[in-house]
Amino acid sequence: MKAAELFVKCLENEAVEFIFGVPGEENLDIMDALLDSPIRFITTRHEQGAAFMADVYGRLTGKAGVCLSTLGPGATNLITGVADANMDRAPVVAIAGQGATTRMHKESHQILDLVNLFRPITKYSAQIREPDIVTEIVRKAFKVAQTEKPGCCFIDFPENIAEAKVEEKRPIEVQSAYTSAPPEAKIEEAARIISSARCPVIMAGNGVIRQHACDSLVSFAEVLRIPVATTFMAKGAMPFSHELSLGTIGLKSRDLVSFAFERADVVICVGYDMVEYHPEQWNPNGDKIIIHIDALPAEVDERYIVATGTLGDIGEALRGIAFRTRPKHNSPLKPLRRAIVEEMARLADDQSFPVKPQKIVWDLRQALAPEDIVISDVGAHKMWMARMYQAERPNTCIISNGFAAMGIAVPGAVAAKLAHPDRKVVAVTGDAGFLMNSQEMETALRVGTPFVILIWNDSEYGLITWHQLRQFGRPSHIAFDNPDFVKYAESFGAKGYRVDKTQDLIPTLKRALADDTVTVIDCPVDYSENMKLTQWMSKLKSPI
Ligand SMILES: Cc1ncc(C[n+]2csc(CCOP(=O)(O)OP(=O)(O)O)c2C)c(N)n1
Ligand SMILES: [Mg+2]
């Protein structure tokens, strides 16, 4: 058999369902071998789209998403999505074709040293130099990508190796690395600290979702009566409707939830990655007693000096600590929840136009069921979604907050619909981020993944305007013109709607969700609320 055929067998052995990618000259043998495989190839319109699809598929399923490109420019186009997956801890295996090993030592058409190019944005980057090592490289890439903390692995596959004959052999058996239970002594120590805490609070990060420890988190909070704030990427780890939920933390300004951290003496960080929300933001004086509950040791940071920690299975740790801790009767943080819930609903009935961000988020929540999935792009809209979207279940509000790359929402929605065909999917995006990967609407229509794209239209790089106004009081080079998004959608064969008055938003969302095709909703947004929020936050008084 050819090495390319063995390679595809190895992917089947890893239970790969989809490969997202763009075919090229240097991956001809893989593309041909895929014709005889049950793996579904999703042909995308840009390699960045393919990488974002693999990224979101990996994040939603815990199984590595797979993307594929050709060498040189195809591979460099993968980079943003690969870096995003790696920093957001999404398991991904990225594969690129490569020129023959007989021309790699010299200046040669489209050849780049891809293994080194991908090294800083992956956990493992390797070239298949011999047909014989296909099985080991593929197994290693999947194992490393899927092991805590997950991330991206890169495989460079030269064309002459792909077409070379290889002795028929079996792929290596799939074994997942086992996460051990944390040591008893550390559990005892954590329980001791929490028992004597005056005002503990929990910061839940994406590790809780990755390790399927959400139920354990909720029981832990309930048994010990400790309120929980989630990071952007942990939205839904604790249902927002739960009386112990304080919603989401992560804005760089002091929001209501920040008061919980100002007041707390002990912060219990569970599955928390500081790439999302720097400790400087919530522990400026470095005086919090920090308990670190995660699979791996904490990153070094001046403001994250750990009092104790448990390494290993998060669910086991939470159950063990809850069992040994003396619960408090009432948290002093309780009144904070009331203020947070009130703030969420403050503009629920606002009918002004353009639509206020708070109202868009509110109406979107009303239009969707708890298990439906929204994927936010990156911009001011992401801040509002993170702050105000009430997620009830894990992995129902996907936000990129490690690398935070614009352009993820539309391709991400394709992957979400493929991973969960039974749920509704909405891509929430700015007008700028939308046009970065809007070509994947064609992919979505061709492969049959209906979803709604909700564009917050401000004809600006809104988040950057917000930062500029805050820092310098005047905007610099942030305005642009948009195409007619309705006609643009229609030109793809998708459906387009424009929201002309705020009352129309909910009915339009409902109609679009029922359309069973790709739909675009052009929704004008009133971003004067951004600076109003900044001013409101600067005057905020603690309700506790
Ligand atoms: C690929 C990429 N380029 C640039 C940025 C920096 N950036 C973050 S948000 C933003 C503006 C986003 O504009 P838009 O998509 O219209 O969303 P809005 O802020 O208006 O809601 C920019 C330029 C980024 N995060 N990712
Ligand atoms: Mg915008």
Side-chain angles (χ1 to χ4, degrees), residues 48 52 80 377-384 403-407 429-436 456-467 478 480 525 527 530:
Q48 184 179 115
F52 278 137
T80 302
D377 214 81
V378 174
H381 60 283
K382 172 178 130 176
M383 301 303 154
W384 289 106
F403 197 60
M406 290 166 70
T429 176
D431 40 8
F434 170 65
L435 277 186
M436 283 193 180
W456 298 33
N457 189 338
D458 67 333
S459 294
E460 279 186 10
Y461 290 106
L463 181 66
I464 310 305
T465 315
W466 191 354
H467 285 305
I478 36 63
F480 49 73
V525 59
Y527 271 159
N530 295 348

Side-chain angles (χ1 to χ4, degrees), residues 504-517:
D504 288 349
L505 180 55
I506 284 215
T508 308
L509 276 166
K510 288 193 173 151
R511 202 170 323 133
L513 286 163
D515 269 342
D516 206 31
T517 182

Side-chain angles (χ1 to χ4, degrees), residues 167-483:
E167 223 174 279
E168 193 133 349
K169 57 173 169 178
R170 278 226 296 267
I172 297 173
E173 184 191 342
V174 174
Q175 296 171 309
S176 354
Y178 162 77
T179 314
S180 54
E184 196 63 30
K186 290 289 178 184
I187 288 183
E188 295 275 357
E189 209 171 291
R192 222 169 21 246
I193 294 174
I194 301 170
S195 293
S196 55
R198 219 178 356 91
C199 179
V201 68
I202 298 166
M203 164 113 70
N206 187 253
V208 177
I209 297 178
R210 290 197 304 267
Q211 287 199 33
H212 309 287
C214 299
D215 291 346
S216 307
L217 174 74
V218 174
S219 319
F220 179 86
E222 283 173 350
V223 169
L224 302 182
R225 302 189 185 92
I226 304 175
V228 179
T230 69
T231 65
F232 287 16
M233 290 182 56
K235 281 180 82 69
M238 176 90 175
F240 180 76
S241 57
H242 196 290
E243 56 165 3
L244 286 166
S245 169
L246 297 175
T248 305
I249 190 156
L251 292 189
K252 285 202 186 113
S253 317
R254 185 203 227 185
D255 205 346
L256 283 166
V257 59
S258 314
F259 292 113
F261 289 79
E262 283 180 22
R263 180 80 187 265
D265 55 345
V266 173
V267 180
I268 307 163
C269 295
V270 193
Y272 158 77
D273 292 307
M274 61 183 71
V275 66
E276 268 212 86
Y277 186 47
H278 202 273
E280 189 180 81
Q281 306 285 334
W282 53 269
N283 188 21
N285 307 320
D287 54 357
K288 303 295 172 196
I289 299 167
I290 294 171
I291 300 182
H292 176 83
I293 301 175
D294 205 358
L296 297 177
E299 169 68 298
V300 173
D301 189 282
E302 285 184 327
R303 307 263 173 21
Y304 198 81
I305 307 299
V306 169
T308 191
T310 64
L311 301 184
D313 188 86
I314 290 179
E316 291 271 346
L318 292 172
R319 287 188 291 276
I321 297 170
F323 187 67
R324 287 164 186 76
T325 305
R326 249 178 305 113
K328 294 266 176 311
H329 287 295
N330 236 330
S331 166
L333 303 178
K334 263 198 135 176
L336 191 55
R337 173 162 169 89
R338 204 171 323 122
I340 291 170
V341 171
E342 277 170 18
E343 164 62 8
M344 296 273 191
R346 195 164 49 87
L347 292 172
D349 298 319
D350 187 88
Q351 299 302 345
S352 61
F353 190 81
V355 195
K356 292 202 169 26
Q358 300 91 321
K359 173 71 173 159
I360 304 183
V361 177
W362 181 269
D363 282 6
L364 180 64
R365 179 68 281 183
Q366 307 310 308
L368 292 172
E371 67 278 10
D372 291 339
I373 300 172
V374 295
I375 300 173
S376 176
D377 214 81
V378 174
H381 60 283
K382 172 178 130 176
M383 301 303 154
W384 289 106
M385 285 293 292
R387 182 173 186 260
M388 305 195 85
Y389 187 79
Q390 304 182 17
E392 288 296 303
R393 314 246 168 106
N395 273 342
T396 56
C397 181
I398 298 293
I399 294 182
S400 164
N401 202 37
F403 197 60
M406 290 166 70
I408 190 174
V410 173
V414 175
K417 194 67 192 174
L418 287 170
H420 294 290
D422 51 327
R423 307 201 208 162
K424 303 280 187 205
V425 173
V426 178
V428 172
T429 176
D431 40 8
F434 170 65
L435 277 186
M436 283 193 180
N437 276 316
S438 58
Q439 74 284 353
E440 302 306 341
M441 280 198 292
E442 188 281 320
T443 307
L445 286 159
R446 177 168 31 83
V447 305
T449 49
F451 55 81
V452 176
I453 302 167
L454 178 61
I455 303 175
W456 298 33
N457 189 338
D458 67 333
S459 294
E460 279 186 10
Y461 290 106
L463 181 66
I464 310 305
T465 315
W466 191 354
H467 285 305
Q468 291 173 343
L469 291 176
R470 210 163 47 189
Q471 222 161 314
F472 304 109
R474 56 182 189 169
S476 170
H477 307 287
I478 36 63
F480 49 73
D481 297 322
N482 280 318

Side-chain angles (χ1 to χ4, degrees), residues 510-531:
K510 288 193 173 151
R511 202 170 323 133
L513 286 163
D515 269 342
D516 206 31
T517 182
V518 176
T519 56
V520 171
I521 303 177
D522 175 359
C523 181
V525 59
D526 177 6
Y527 271 159
S528 66
E529 284 300 310
N530 295 348
M531 279 306 286

